[in-house]
């Protein structure tokens, strides 16, 4: 009995080791095959054969976006009966958790909605195709798009993402609530000092002024105002040396949170989607976010909201236009040309954009923008006007976020919360954050 | 001749157990070996694993305060939650041990929560009950008490998770119930005749007779508590907040693996968890000879 057991375990071990070995070998083979095969399917697939193809399209967002995107897919399938599109959608956080294992398995969706903070990682690790050759083949029409508008999707000299539209940081606020605390409107030329006094005023009257400022985004803006950047140009360390900037900024926000001008982190942690937004529920006056999100916020709140720029001074140095998101094509896609055609539809088709209505950023195509103008509600028009204003009040964007930016943001969030819970002073947080963030970014040195 | 027959017989035997053996190898044994290998590598899912020796373990023990925090949170969760859960399970088991009409129905009803207990649905329900604007706060407001921020402080939020776990007492309860049924009624009767009251009987008869069951439940519950993931993930939206107060070990491991695509580090964490569970279990086993009472001594 015992010897049998021994024999069995040894064989099991041998088999598992062997399988493990071949698994390792097999993996590198298959990744080679993936790289060499990537060119051939597109070459062998006839341009428009009517051959049945199935494309997987993945995006993140909230319910309104899911709804219209499904309609948009229906529309495309009617126009192209040979194409079937399988949607895959989730919220932002879950989306990336799903995408990373799919990349390992070489099972990425054909068309991937891509974000600024991930494009460097997916691009440089050979998960995405360079879109330039597909554009040169005429599969994606760029005739109505300004020459350098697409450069935001470049990593190095490869175009890994096609920008769906641009957005900018903005303050979306409810003018009625603002009046309630005795402030008429947020002036275009307001400053951080104004912000502080408004927020304290709101807090003293039982209203939140805002729903929290994402540290990496708004401290990033604050750094730009002061001529610095969050990340160094090569992405191997933080881009600022002077911790007093950190202390000033977070001293201010922490003070506002303690004065209840801003909700404590555990309150914001309960917000699951735009439906729960504190502005929607009339508990907060403003939400500081990206301009394309104004539309979702306003349509959920169902009452007029206004847009203000971020506080000065030096708004022009701080503000920038950012590709709100990209559409990318997976390296492992077997239907890259069909995927490119869908992207073309997405960014150039007027009917398609009548569904999107700027939710994925103000479109790049001048033709689309022109066609949308008469259709926009006054609320949507505000976003387009705001982007036009930013165009003349901004400086170029920082380079795309380095690999590890997601982790740095998470470290940032922890220290931001600790400061708000009084567990650490801004001075100590500045040091600790620098230490930990630099340790993450140092991995990009090679 | 004889030999070939027995060989064929063995083959038949292997054929019958092959579903398990193949399943075990493919889904358990090989992944375990691979994860041990990965724990010595830096692996970001996008490029091939790179051998870095003990770096992951070094980082874990010496350079990662979040790791120690997750361990601390998990220990509170385990050693705060498991005794409570077992006490609760024993209490319900005693109640359901009574001879009453329809007791079978009650047993079923009380077991139900643990069938769905660890699941996503219950965690979502828990979150909705104790949200700032949840049912519990609505009730408190209606009574004029005012709402409580149940998940407002790191430690408070952790205790909310512990209470959720206490509520999943069903499986230990059933095992206790079976144990209670095995205590000979004659012991209780004899004690009663001798004038022992209910409390005395509970501590002098019920508890000692149950110690083997308690040991079993304790070990099973401790292991499952160490591995708890779902409630923390659901209730904190996968972030382990506030202030990492609900960042259980498994949740932190998951975040390292799938949020930061740091698979090597996550694999190393998993191996340390295995060691911790093994050590805790063997300490319990070793201690059992001091407190576990077996009816039949020297049965070998």
């Amino acid at each position: 009995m015992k010897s049998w057991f021994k024999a069995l375990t040894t064989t099991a071990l041998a088999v598992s080791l062997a399988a493990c070995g071949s698994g390792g070998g097999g993996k590198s083979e298959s990744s080679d095959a993936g790289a060499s095969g990537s060119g051939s399917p597109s070459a062998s697939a006839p341009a428009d054969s009517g051959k049945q193809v199935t494309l997987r399209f993945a995006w993140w967002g909230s319910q309104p976006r899911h709804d219209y995107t499904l309609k948009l897919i229906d529309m495309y399938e009617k126009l192209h009966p040979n194409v079937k599109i399988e949607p895959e959608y989730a919220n932002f956080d879950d989306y990336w958790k799903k995408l990373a294992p799919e990349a390992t398995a070489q099972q990425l969706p054909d068309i991937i909605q891509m974000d600024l903070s991930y494009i460097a990682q997916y691009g440089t690790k050979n998960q995405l195709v360079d879109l330039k050759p597909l554009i040169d083949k005429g599969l994606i029409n760029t005739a109505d798009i300004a020459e350098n508008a697409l450069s935001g999707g470049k990593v190095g000299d490869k175009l890994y993402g096609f920008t769906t539209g641009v957005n900018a940081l903005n303050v979306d606020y409810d003018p009625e609530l603002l009046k309630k605390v005795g402030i008429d409107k947020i002036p275009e030329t307001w400053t951080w000092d104004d912000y502080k006094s408004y927020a304290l005023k709101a807090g003293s009257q039982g209203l939140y002024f805002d729903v929290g400022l994402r540290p990496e985004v708004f401290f990033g803006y604050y750094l730009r105002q002061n001529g610095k950047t969050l990340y160094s140009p090569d992405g191997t360390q933080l881009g600022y040396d002077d911790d007093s900037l950190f202390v000033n900024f977070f001293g201010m926000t922490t003070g506002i949170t303690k004065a209840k001008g801003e909700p404590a982190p555990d309150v914001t942690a309960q917000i699951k989607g735009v439906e729960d937004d504190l502005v929607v529920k009339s508990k907060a006056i403003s939400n500081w976010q990206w301009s394309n999100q104004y539309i979702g916020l306003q349509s959920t709140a169902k009452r007029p909201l206004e847009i203000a720029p971020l506080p000065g001074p030096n708004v022009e140095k701080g503000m920038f236009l950012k590709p709100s998101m990209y559409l990318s094509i997976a390296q492992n896609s077997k239907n890259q040309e069909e995927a490119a055609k869908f992207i073309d539809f997405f960014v150039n088709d007027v009917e398609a954009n009548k569904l999107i209505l700027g939710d994925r950023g103000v479109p790049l195509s001048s033709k689309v923008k022109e066609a949308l103008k008469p259709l926009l509600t006054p609320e949507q028009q505000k976003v387009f006007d705001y982007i036009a204003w930013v165009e003349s009040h901004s400086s170029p964007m920082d380079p795309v976020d380095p690999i590890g930016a997601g982790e740095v943001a998470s470290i940032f969030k922890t220290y931001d919360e600790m400061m708000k819970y009084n567990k650490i002073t801004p001075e100590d947080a500045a040091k600790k954050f620098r230490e930990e963030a630099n340790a993450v970014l140092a991995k990009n040195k090679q | 001749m004889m030999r070939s027959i027995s060989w064929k017989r063995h083959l038949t035997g292997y054929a019958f157990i092959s579903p398990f053996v193949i399943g075990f190898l493919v889904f358990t044994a090989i992944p375990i070996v691979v994860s041990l290998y990965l724990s010595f590598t830096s692996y970001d899912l996008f490029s091939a694993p790179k051998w870095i020796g003990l770096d992951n373990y070094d980082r874990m023990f010496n350079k990662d305060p979040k790791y120690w925090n997750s361990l601390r949170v998990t220990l509170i969760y385990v050693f705060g939650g498991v005794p409570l859960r077992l006490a609760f399970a024993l209490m319900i088991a005693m109640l359901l041990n009574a001879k009453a009409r329809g007791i079978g129905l009650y047993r079923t009803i009380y077991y139900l929560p643990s069938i769905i207990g660890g699941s996503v649905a219950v965690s979502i329900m828990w979150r909705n009950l104790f949200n700032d604007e949840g049912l519990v706060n609505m009730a408190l407001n209606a009574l004029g008490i005012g709402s409580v921020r149940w998940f407002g402080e790191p430690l408070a939020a952790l205790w909310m998770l512990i209470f959720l776990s206490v509520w999943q007492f069903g499986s230990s309860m059933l095992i206790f119930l079976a144990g209670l049924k095995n205590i000979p009624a004659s012991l209780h009767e004899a004690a009663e005749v001798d004038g022992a009251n209910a409390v005395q009987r509970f501590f002098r008869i019920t508890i000692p007779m149950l110690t083997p069951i308690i040991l079993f439940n304790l070990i099973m519950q401790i292991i499952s508590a160490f591995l708890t993931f779902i409630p923390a993930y659901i209730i904190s939206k996968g972030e382990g907040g506030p202030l990492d107060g609900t960042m259980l070990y498994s949740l932190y491991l998951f975040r390292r693996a799938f949020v930061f695509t740091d698979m090597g580090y996550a694999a190393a964490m998993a191996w340390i968890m295995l060691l911790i569970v093994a050590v805790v279990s063997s300490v319990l086993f070793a201690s059992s000879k001091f407190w576990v009472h077996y009816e039949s001594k020297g049965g070998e």
Side-chain angles (χ1 to χ4, degrees), chain A residues 146-169:
Chain A
E147 188 69 34
N148 58 357
L150 286 176
S151 64
K154 272 190 176 172
V155 181
D157 57 350
K158 300 269 173 58
L159 186 67
Y160 286 125
F162 201 99
T163 305
T164 58
V166 291
N167 58 19
L169 289 170

Side-chain angles (χ1 to χ4, degrees), chain B residues 30-205:
Chain B
I30 296 174
I32 286 176
V33 174
V34 172
S35 100
L36 182 60
Y37 162 70
L38 286 179
S39 76
F40 298 108
T41 63
S42 158
Y43 180 38
D44 69 354
L45 281 181
F46 293 94
S47 31
K50 203 168 72 195
W51 184 268
I52 54 169
L54 289 170
D55 276 12
N56 284 327
Y57 294 93
D58 174 49
R59 207 172 109 209
M60 198 187 306
F61 295 133
N62 301 323
K63 294 170 199 156
D64 189 357
K66 283 204 165 205
Y67 172 79
W68 289 108
N69 173 65
S70 77
L71 198 58
R72 185 185 60 86
V73 168
T74 308
L75 290 176
I76 296 176
Y77 179 80
V78 172
F79 293 105
V82 171
L84 276 181
R85 193 197 304 200
L86 290 184
F88 201 62
L90 181 57
M91 190 183 86
I92 303 286
M94 304 263 301
L95 288 177
L96 294 182
N97 196 26
K99 291 187 179 67
R101 274 169 64 100
I103 195 74
L105 180 69
Y106 287 117
R107 283 176 195 158
T108 314
I109 289 172
Y110 277 91
Y111 185 61
L112 271 180
S114 59
I115 299 178
I116 47 174
S119 76
V120 173
V122 170
S123 302
I124 291 179
M125 188 196 78
W126 200 254
R127 187 176 71 187
N128 288 345
L129 278 178
F130 290 98
N131 241 337
D132 286 356
E133 288 163 23
L135 214 58
V136 173
N137 273 345
M138 274 155 88
L140 289 180
N141 273 328
L143 292 172
I145 298 171
S147 37
V148 175
R149 275 161 59 195
W150 298 100
F151 296 103
E153 287 291 325
L155 198 60
L158 182 57
W159 276 98
M160 293 307 294
L161 286 190
I162 291 177
F163 288 131
L164 173 58
S165 85
V166 169
W167 193 60
Q168 308 162 238
F169 56 83
S171 62
S172 344
M173 186 268 290
L174 272 195
I175 297 168
F176 275 135
L177 194 56
L180 287 172
K181 294 244 171 254
N182 270 337
I183 300 176
S186 57
L187 289 179
H188 280 286
E189 283 159 9
E192 218 168 334
V193 169
D194 287 345
N197 64 26
V199 177
Q200 283 169 328
R201 273 182 281 138
F202 176 74
F203 283 107
R204 298 295 166 86
I205 298 174

Side-chain angles (χ1 to χ4, degrees), chain A residues 171-402:
Chain A
V171 177
D172 302 331
Y173 69 96
D174 182 333
E176 289 308 312
L177 282 181
L178 190 70
K179 279 189 191 115
K180 242 188 188 170
V181 299
I183 304 161
D184 240 13
K185 64 175 290 212
I186 298 180
E188 198 178 290
T189 55
W190 69 321
T191 64
W192 285 109
D193 288 336
D194 295 329
Y195 162 64
K196 196 173 167 181
S197 71
Y198 293 174
L200 294 178
K201 206 168 179 181
S204 69
Q205 297 179 47
L207 264 178
Y208 297 127
F209 185 77
D210 58 78
V211 296
L213 274 48
R214 275 184 80 112
E216 76 280 12
V217 175
F218 293 98
F219 181 57
Y221 165 80
Y222 183 75
L223 286 173
R224 285 172 54 94
Q225 286 178 303
N226 288 285
K228 305 280 188 242
T229 55
L230 184 55
Y231 304 109
S232 68
D234 61 355
T236 59
Q237 56 177 326
L238 293 178
Y240 65 97
D241 299 316
D242 184 3
D243 277 344
S244 68
L245 291 167
F246 185 108
V247 173
N248 288 344
F249 186 81
F250 289 101
M252 173 184 71
T253 57
T254 306
I256 288 172
T257 308
K258 284 176 193 158
K260 302 213 183 303
E262 205 173 77
D266 65 283
V267 176
T268 40
Q270 291 180 12
I271 298 168
K272 292 180 288 289
V274 70
E275 310 79 40
D276 304 325
D277 192 281
L278 295 173
V279 174
V280 171
K281 290 184 170 174
S282 292
K283 289 184 171 175
I285 294 169
S286 68
N287 189 339
W288 298 36
Q289 54 182 355
W290 296 100
S291 54
N292 63 315
Q293 294 169 310
Y294 170 85
I295 292 167
L297 184 69
Q298 191 276 326
S299 65
T300 314
K302 295 192 177 65
R303 54 178 193 274
L305 300 178
E306 295 292 335
I307 296 180
L310 262 50
N314 299 332
V315 177
E316 285 79 2
K317 274 162 83 181
M319 290 298 293
F320 56 95
L321 285 173
K322 165 191 172 277
S324 33
M325 54 191 75
Y326 313 98
L327 292 178
S328 297
I329 299 177
Q331 188 73 257
N332 61 270
S333 165
K334 295 196 169 64
N335 296 299
Q336 295 176 356
E337 302 211 342
E338 285 296 336
K341 283 187 214 159
F342 179 75
I343 294 179
D344 179 55
F345 172 78
F346 202 100
V347 296
N348 283 316
D349 189 272
V350 170
E351 293 305 315
N353 277 281
K354 283 180 186 170
L355 289 173
I356 304 172
L357 281 174
D359 171 66
R360 282 174 160 97
V362 171
L364 296 183
S365 158
S366 51
K367 210 174 81 193
V368 169
K369 252 194 278 191
E370 218 35 60
L372 289 187
K373 242 178 205 161
L375 296 169
L376 295 175
T377 63
E379 296 297 329
Q380 290 156 340
Q381 183 60 46
K382 280 181 195 161
V383 178
F384 282 61
D385 291 347
Y386 179 68
I387 290 297
W389 180 87
V390 174
E391 267 167 28
S392 55
H393 291 82
S394 59
S395 351
M397 185 178 82
D398 298 340
V400 293
D401 291 350

Side-chain angles (χ1 to χ4, degrees), chain A residues 4 94 97 100 104 121-122 125 127 264 266 269-272 281 283 407 410 413-414 417-418 421, chain B residues 10 14 43-46 66 127 131-133 149 151-152 233 237 239 242-243 256 259-261:
Chain A
W4 265 113
D94 292 338
K97 287 173 199 155
T104 323
Q121 185 174 26
Y122 281 79
K125 306 265 175 171
Q127 300 296 329
D266 65 283
Q270 291 180 12
I271 298 168
K272 292 180 288 289
K281 290 184 170 174
K283 289 184 171 175
E407 191 170 354
S410 145
K413 188 170 182 252
T414 306
E417 289 187 3
M418 284 174 74
Y421 276 115
Chain B
H10 285 140
Y14 283 127
Y43 180 38
D44 69 354
L45 281 181
F46 293 94
K66 283 204 165 205
R127 187 176 71 187
N131 241 337
D132 286 356
E133 288 163 23
R149 275 161 59 195
F151 296 103
Y233 180 79
K237 286 200 304 175
E239 307 225 334
L243 261 188
R256 292 255 53 115
V259 179
F260 306 128
T261 60

Side-chain angles (χ1 to χ4, degrees), chain A residues 40-81:
Chain A
S40 56
S42 51
S44 64
D48 201 346
S49 58
K51 191 186 80 171
Q52 284 297 323
V53 288
T54 302
L55 296 174
R56 288 161 62 215
F57 172 30
W59 71 88
W60 73 82
S62 55
Q63 201 55 46
R65 179 179 295 163
H66 302 329
D67 292 344
Y68 80 74
T69 308
L70 292 172
K71 276 189 210 153
L72 183 145
I73 289 174
D74 269 350
M75 185 193 269
Y76 190 78
E77 286 178 339
K78 285 211 181 85
L79 290 169
H80 303 264

